[in-house]
Amino acid sequence: MQQLLDSGLIPDTGQLYWQARLFARYPTIEVRCLDVQPRPDDAVMLTGLVRALVETALAEAAAGAPALDCDQELLQASMWHAARHGLGNTLVGRQRAALARGGLPAVTDLITGRSTMP
């Protein structure tokens, strides 16, 4: 990111568009999709989900779990797949880049500590 700034390719980090990123000035995570929800209750629900996922990731890191090492192409394909097929289809496994059945139940199991995903 700093190289893009130093080279003049972008005037500030606000020009970088990701699905999620660390916020530069505050200890928070910025998730782009939350500000475009048509209903406030959807935005609130997604905010709670993101918070639970972050807390789960922090707890896993504190417990020594290995970080997910996944190719950008697989992540982008997974986002496309989720957008096309919805929550009832497949997700990328947490510990390795493998597809796991489960959709929304897998996410709720993950954030409640009941996950059996590889």
Side-chain angles (χ1 to χ4, degrees), residues 7-102:
S7 68
L9 291 173
I10 59 171
D12 59 64
T13 57
Q15 299 297 308
L16 298 175
Y17 297 99
W18 294 317
Q19 298 296 325
R21 67 180 177 184
L22 297 174
F23 193 68
R25 291 181 292 205
Y26 304 106
T28 60
I29 294 178
E30 180 180 12
V31 180
R32 293 281 178 173
C33 70
L34 300 181
D35 61 354
V36 295
Q37 297 306 308
R39 298 180 355 195
D41 56 333
D42 290 340
V44 170
M45 183 271 308
L46 286 170
T47 301
L49 179 61
V50 168
R51 182 176 177 134
L53 289 169
V54 169
E55 288 178 1
T56 299
L58 290 172
E60 288 178 348
L68 178 63
D69 183 20
C70 189
D71 293 331
Q72 278 293 99
E73 293 83 6
L74 180 60
L75 292 175
Q76 289 175 347
S78 296
M79 285 188 289
W80 173 86
H81 186 80
R84 179 173 180 160
H85 298 287
L87 295 172
N89 212 283
T90 56
L91 295 173
V92 174
R94 293 182 302 140
Q95 300 300 327
R96 57 188 164 86
L99 292 177
R101 300 294 298 172

